[in-house]
Amino acid sequence: MNLMYKSTRSAAIQVTASEAILKGLSPDGGLFVPEQIPKLDLSLSEIAKMSYQETAYEVMKLFFTDFTEAELKDCIHKAYDSKFDTEEIAVIKKADDAYFLELFHGATVAFKDMALSILPHLLSVSAKKNQINKEIVILTATSGDTGKAALAGFADVENTKIIVFYPKNGVSPIQEKQMVTQKGNNTYVVGIEGNFDDAQQGVKVMFHNKELAEKMDKAGYQFSSANSINIGRLIPQVVYYIYAYSRLLKNFEISRNEEINITVPTGNFGNILAAYYAKQMGVPIKRLVCASNENKVLYDFFRTGIYDKNREFILTSSPSMDILVSSNLERLIYQLTGEDPIQTAAFMESLATDGTYTITEEMQAKLSDFAGGFADEQKVAKTIRRIYELDGYIIDPHTAVAASVSHTYQSASGDQVKMLIISTASPFKFTRSVMNAISPKYDSMTDLTLIDELSGLSGVKVPQAIEDIRSAKVLHTTICAKDKMQEIVEEILKI
C-alpha cells in the first residue's frame, strides 16, 4: 500500500512521495506530511546488525512507498559512499558523560550532507516517475550549511539548476567561502542584504507566485526545494536517529528498550522533528531537548505556548541557528491540532500577518515529549573550553549550544537518562569561534592558520572540504537587496 502525503493547510491535497519530493512545497503554502508515521517493521536489535546504508533502506522504504526497491537502494548507494570520510557515515563519540553523534563526515562537513547527498537522486527518480520533462530549479535559502551541501549535491546534476540565497553578513567566513567557490555549470550563489528569515521569506514568496510559475512553465522550468521543508530532505534525517540508537545497543552502551534523551541544536526545526518521527516509529526516546542560541524563539514557544518572531535578530557564533521563523514547526503544529488543516492554516496566517500565534492549552499539554533551553554566547564559549579541557574533545558552536543546554537540563530536571547530543558541524567550519573559546591567544591568527592550529590541538586531520577552499577561486559574487531576489532568479533563468 502506498503511503500518501497531505498538506498541513488543506484536506483536499493528497500526493505520492515522489510528487511531494518534486513539489517541495504544497501549492497552498503548506508542508507535506505523511498520512501517518509508519512503525518500524524490524526490531532495533535486528537493525543493530545492519550498516548505515541497510538501515537507510529499512527506514525510507516505509515512507517512500512508490519507489521500487531497486530505485531506493540505488539512491542510497549513490548517496552514502566515499564522499563520507568514515565507513560508519555517522559516528558516535563519548565525552562529557554524553554521546555525541557526529553528523559532519560528509563532503561539506555539516549534518546537511546526511540528507542532501541523497535528495538529488530521489529528485531525479521522482521526475522520471512523474514524466517531468521540465528542468528543475532548486531554489533554496540557507543560514550557512544547507547552501553548500545542496550546491555540492546538485552540482552538474542533469536537468537541474540550483540557486542559493544566503545572508551576506550572517554566515561564518568558511561557510561563505565554501559556497562562493562552488563549481558547476548549474550552480548560482547570491548573497542578500538581510538575514536568513528575509532569504527564507523571499524564497517562499517565489514558490507561491502564480505569475512567476506561468513564466517558468513557458520557459520549461519548475521549482523544487532543498530545504527541510522538502519531505525528501526530512525523511533521510530520521535514519540517523534510528541508526544511532542501534549503535548504542550494538556497543552495549544501552540495554534493549532502554530510553535515551536527545538534545538537538535547533534553528528551522527539521532536525529535531526527524528525531520526533523516529520516536513515533518506535525508538525509545524519552525526551527531546530543543537547544536554542540567543535567538530563542523556540525556547520561548516551548515555555509559554506563544510563538513570537517580533524580536531583535541576533547574529551569533552558531549562524545556522540564527532563525526567527522555524518553518518545520508547522508540521508539529499540524500534529498538535489533531491534524486540523484549517486551524494550522490560521496559525500560519497569524504568523505571516502579526508575527505571532498562541497555541491552545490542549495543544500545549501535548508537548510533554519536548523540553527547551538556550545558551548565550558566553555559555557556548565556556562549554567549548570546558569539554576540551575535560576530554580533549573539540566541538563547534552549534554542538556547544546543545551540550550547554543538555548540561543545564540535566542539572535542573534531575533527569539522568543517557543523553545523545547531536553534533551538527565540524569545528573546522568555525575555527575562529572555537579557537578563541579555547584561548584568547589565537585571536591574532588568520583563519587559515587557525585551521592548522585546530588540527594540531584536536589530533584530527583537516577535512578535505576545508583543505579545498584554501586556494579555491571565488566564482560567485552576486549580492542583491532582499526585495530583488525574484529579479535575480528571472535574470539567471533568462525569463
Side-chain angles (χ1 to χ4, degrees):
M1 259 182 64
N2 264 3
L3 177 67
M4 302 299 287
Y5 287 78
K6 50 190 180 178
S7 168
T8 51
R9 301 190 195 178
S10 168
I13 295 173
Q14 193 179 64
V15 297
T16 62
S18 62
E19 288 173 320
I21 291 166
L22 268 175
K23 291 174 188 294
L25 201 63
S26 176
D28 58 6
L31 305 188
F32 287 115
V33 289
E35 284 180 309
Q36 69 266 344
I37 305 296
K39 296 289 183 189
L40 286 167
D41 56 9
L42 289 176
S43 72
L44 289 159
S45 299
E46 288 173 293
I47 291 173
K49 297 169 189 166
M50 296 179 172
S51 66
Y52 191 88
Q53 294 84 346
E54 289 166 335
T55 305
Y57 175 71
E58 291 302 327
V59 175
M60 290 190 213
K61 74 174 187 184
L62 302 173
F63 286 96
F64 301 149
T65 54
D66 63 329
F67 283 67
T68 67
E69 180 178 344
E71 286 168 342
L72 200 46
K73 284 185 173 176
D74 185 54
C75 289
I76 290 165
H77 173 73
K78 286 173 178 171
Y80 304 112
D81 58 7
S82 59
K83 289 190 291 292
F84 289 82
D85 63 19
T86 170
E87 200 177 320
E88 297 156 275
I89 308 296
V91 178
I92 296 176
K93 297 275 178 70
K94 197 169 183 181
D96 195 30
D97 290 327
Y99 300 95
F100 287 78
L101 179 63
E102 294 183 349
L103 298 176
F104 53 75
H105 290 280
T108 73
V109 292
F111 84 101
K112 305 295 173 80
D113 290 323
M114 300 298 290
L116 284 166
S117 293
I118 194 168
L119 182 61
H121 306 295
L122 294 173
L123 204 55
S124 294
V125 173
S126 296
K128 285 174 190 162
K129 276 184 175 302
N130 292 279
Q131 289 85 50
I132 299 296
N133 50 21
K134 293 188 183 72
E135 191 165 355
I136 295 165
V137 179
I138 304 297
L139 190 63
T140 291
T142 184
S143 54
D145 286 335
T146 288
K148 174 59 182 179
L151 288 161
F154 282 95
D156 292 323
V157 169
E158 202 179 341
N159 296 320
T160 66
K161 281 185 170 60
I162 176 162
I163 306 171
V164 170
F165 290 96
Y166 75 97
K168 177 69 183 97
N169 298 309
V171 300
S172 83
I174 287 176
Q175 283 177 313
E176 182 173 42
K177 188 84 184 285
Q178 279 188 300
M179 286 189 280
V180 298
T181 57
Q182 176 65 51
K183 294 176 183 175
N185 292 326
N186 63 338
T187 63
Y188 304 87
V189 180
V190 183
I192 72 153
E193 294 161 349
N195 59 41
F196 169 73
D197 287 334
D198 297 323
Q200 183 168 251
Q201 180 58 22
V203 165
K204 282 183 176 177
V205 166
M206 281 186 270
F207 265 98
H208 298 152
N209 186 326
K210 289 185 171 60
E211 199 177 299
L212 178 60
E214 283 170 17
K215 267 188 182 180
M216 288 182 63
D217 188 54
K218 282 178 189 169
Y221 295 117
Q222 77 171 60
F223 279 141
S224 190
S225 172
N227 284 87
S228 52
I229 55 174
N230 191 321
I231 202 72
R233 242 290 296 280
L234 185 63
I235 298 308
Q237 293 180 260
V238 178
V239 175
Y240 50 72
Y241 290 105
I242 293 167
Y243 180 77
Y245 187 92
S246 77
R247 291 311 97 171
L248 292 174
L249 203 55
K250 181 182 181 180
N251 298 331
F252 304 104
E253 299 289 348
I254 56 174
S255 56
R256 194 177 171 189
N257 298 324
E258 182 179 346
E259 286 189 319
I260 63 168
N261 289 332
I262 302 178
T263 301
V264 187
T266 309
N268 219 14
F269 207 74
N271 205 0
I272 195 165
L273 183 70
Y276 186 53
Y277 280 11
K279 176 181 169 80
Q280 291 173 285
M281 290 183 80
V283 180
I285 299 166
K286 181 188 174 190
R287 189 62 52 85
L288 292 162
V289 184
C290 180
S292 300
N293 64 16
E294 289 183 24
N295 292 289
K296 55 188 179 70
V297 64
L298 286 166
Y299 166 72
D300 291 336
F301 169 73
F302 283 113
R303 191 170 51 85
T304 65
I306 301 167
Y307 194 97
D308 187 356
K309 70 166 188 174
N310 300 317
R311 60 184 71 204
E312 181 192 358
F313 186 97
I314 302 167
L315 292 173
T316 73
S317 61
S318 48
S320 298
M321 299 161 67
D322 291 346
I323 294 171
L324 294 180
V325 179
S326 303
S327 291
N328 266 290
L329 188 63
E330 180 171 343
R331 287 184 166 115
L332 178 64
I333 294 296
Y334 178 71
Q335 276 194 255
L336 297 177
T337 63
E339 303 193 344
D340 182 339
I342 295 168
Q343 195 177 6
T344 305
F347 284 131
M348 296 308 121
E349 178 61 27
S350 178
L351 181 65
T353 53
D354 304 323
T356 184
Y357 60 84
T358 304
I359 63 172
T360 64
E361 284 183 21
E362 186 186 3
M363 288 169 69
Q364 208 174 341
K366 295 177 185 175
L367 287 172
S368 58
D369 288 322
F370 294 89
F374 80 98
D376 61 24
E377 290 292 86
Q378 193 177 358
K379 283 181 181 172
V380 169
K382 191 176 171 184
T383 300
I384 292 170
R385 185 168 60 252
R386 179 179 63 78
I387 293 176
Y388 168 67
E389 289 172 352
L390 183 73
D391 290 311
Y393 185 59
I394 300 180
I395 57 176
D396 91 293
H398 302 77
T399 308
V401 169
S404 174
V405 168
S406 170
H407 208 263
T408 303
Y409 166 76
Q410 288 176 316
S411 300
S413 66
D415 182 353
Q416 293 305 307
V417 167
K418 287 170 186 168
M419 182 68 78
L420 182 71
I421 293 172
I422 305 307
S423 186
T424 53
S426 166
F428 286 94
K429 286 195 93 161
F430 303 94
T431 47
R432 183 159 300 283
S433 299
V434 169
M435 297 302 278
N436 283 353
I438 290 170
S439 171
K441 73 179 183 182
Y442 297 110
D443 193 37
S444 59
M445 296 182 186
T446 66
D447 286 321
L448 291 179
T449 305
L450 286 174
I451 290 169
D452 295 319
E453 290 287 331
L454 174 55
S455 179
L457 209 59
S458 63
V460 175
K461 185 183 171 190
V462 178
Q464 192 58 46
I466 303 299
E467 288 287 7
D468 288 346
I469 64 170
R470 285 187 195 260
S471 56
K473 185 182 173 187
V474 172
L475 301 171
H476 305 274
T477 57
T478 306
I479 309 294
C480 77
K482 63 186 180 184
D483 59 350
K484 301 292 183 186
M485 289 168 63
Q486 184 172 322
E487 287 180 29
I488 293 289
V489 169
E490 290 179 356
E491 196 177 299
I492 288 168
L493 299 180
K494 298 181 173 59
I495 58 173

